[in-house]
Amino acid sequence: MKLFSLALFAALSATSFAKTYPVTGNTVNCRSGPGTSYGVKKSYQKGQSVSISCQTSGTSVSGNNIWDKTSDGCYVADYYIKTGVNGYITTKCGSTGGGGSSGSYCKKINTAGVNLVAQWEGFVPSPKPDPIGLPTVGYGHLCQKKNCAEVKYKFPLSQTTAKQLLSDDLPKYTACLAGYLNSKVKLNDNQLAALTSWTFNVGCGNVKTSTLVKRLNKGENPNTVASQELPNWRKAGGQVMQGLVNRRKAEIKLFKTASSKQAYPK
């Protein structure tokens, strides 16, 4: 994937089945609340897998203030969990207006959105560095392991298996995007798809702190916000890239394409 941050992203399942993530610290405490002042309920060992039911903010640990509520009902600092995402990967705990609106959104984007991402990412049948040096394969899949060993499809990929891999990857970007939006935001399926394409391109961390998300959460008109803010995301390495200019135009076009199907909240 063509990213502007250095974060590497792991797979996220946006279905009702729990996705597990490995613990990276030697002994990591799971606490009764999202902070180091809360009592320890249990501890996890390095390499142990945990599932995350929701996330919230709390005491900052090495610059990361996200805390993950595990299936054990306690909170662990996200810094010690290898989610692979520099930001939220699921809904916020107890959220009613700060983001995620209880997780009710379309988990998979529409075909128009998938095709848009595929068009602008380009097809790579076997792993190789992208224009900024990150190893990718398929339609923008960022390799997590050497030679993209995590990919379950045989190399070289066909366009069919590459689309399947893309469909596996996209839900985690829709999920992190939805996690940053509050209950003031209403998006149809084309709007959610266009913003997922943008998120896939620039990374969840950049989306989280973006003016675009802040303006949507203030209740501003989505079409106005997208038209004004998406074109700003046109640089790589400090240089304006015509490919990004064109991609933003395509995302705005899809965003402004009328649809009666609401996707966020669903």
Side-chain angles (χ1 to χ4, degrees):
M1 173 186 330
K2 303 171 181 66
L3 299 170
F4 304 144
S5 66
L6 297 179
L8 299 180
F9 296 93
L12 165 68
S13 168
T15 66
S16 59
F17 298 99
K19 168 73 177 178
T20 59
Y21 303 89
V23 175
T24 60
N26 290 325
T27 300
V28 177
N29 293 324
C30 197
R31 299 176 179 273
S32 59
T36 53
S37 62
Y38 290 90
V40 176
K41 295 184 65 176
K42 67 176 300 177
S43 296
Y44 298 119
Q45 301 304 311
K46 187 174 183 178
Q48 186 174 350
S49 294
V50 298
S51 59
I52 300 173
S53 58
C54 62
Q55 295 175 295
T56 190
S57 59
T59 304
S60 179
V61 176
S62 296
N64 185 345
N65 70 345
I66 298 175
W67 284 69
D68 306 329
K69 187 174 183 180
T70 73
S71 57
D72 294 308
C74 51
Y75 296 82
V76 63
D78 184 72
Y79 176 78
Y80 297 112
I81 307 298
K82 189 178 181 181
T83 62
V85 173
N86 184 24
Y88 287 86
I89 60 166
T90 187
T91 55
K92 294 183 181 179
C93 304
S95 174
T96 57
S101 74
S102 75
S104 178
Y105 64 95
C106 288
K107 305 301 190 290
K108 292 185 178 182
I109 63 173
N110 59 23
T111 301
V114 175
N115 290 339
L116 187 150
V117 174
Q119 174 188 351
W120 291 103
E121 290 293 333
F123 174 59
V124 179
S126 297
K128 73 173 186 178
D130 71 359
I132 61 173
L134 298 175
T136 60
V137 73
Y139 292 110
H141 175 83
L142 181 65
C143 299
Q144 302 298 309
K145 298 180 180 179
K146 185 177 180 180
N147 298 321
C148 282
E150 77 280 0
V151 175
K152 63 184 179 182
Y153 307 105
K154 183 179 179 180
F155 297 134
L157 297 176
S158 65
Q159 290 189 353
T160 298
T161 54
K163 273 286 185 73
Q164 291 172 338
L165 177 59
L166 178 59
S167 294
D168 293 341
D169 285 344
L170 283 171
K172 64 176 172 282
Y173 299 98
T174 307
C176 76
L177 169 65
Y180 306 144
L181 302 176
N182 65 24
S183 59
K184 293 181 181 179
V185 183
K186 302 291 187 294
L187 300 174
N188 64 40
D189 60 334
N190 286 331
Q191 292 171 329
L192 184 65
L195 291 185
T196 296
S197 171
W198 168 61
T199 303
F200 188 83
N201 183 220
V202 307
C204 291
N206 285 321
V207 170
K208 179 183 179 182
T209 59
S210 68
T211 303
L212 188 154
V213 165
K214 292 175 182 177
R215 290 181 63 183
L216 287 178
N217 285 339
K218 289 179 180 179
E220 293 188 41
N221 182 277
N223 283 336
T224 300
V225 172
S227 296
Q228 294 176 350
E229 295 295 333
L230 283 176
N232 295 331
W233 297 84
R234 65 190 187 278
K235 293 183 178 181
Q239 301 294 318
V240 173
M241 306 292 289
Q242 189 59 46
L244 293 178
V245 172
N246 295 339
R247 179 170 182 160
R248 299 289 91 88
K249 288 180 179 178
E251 288 165 350
I252 292 170
K253 181 179 179 180
L254 176 60
F255 192 97
K256 298 176 75 173
T257 299
S259 173
S260 60
K261 183 176 180 181
Q262 184 163 312
Y264 181 94
K266 187 175 179 181

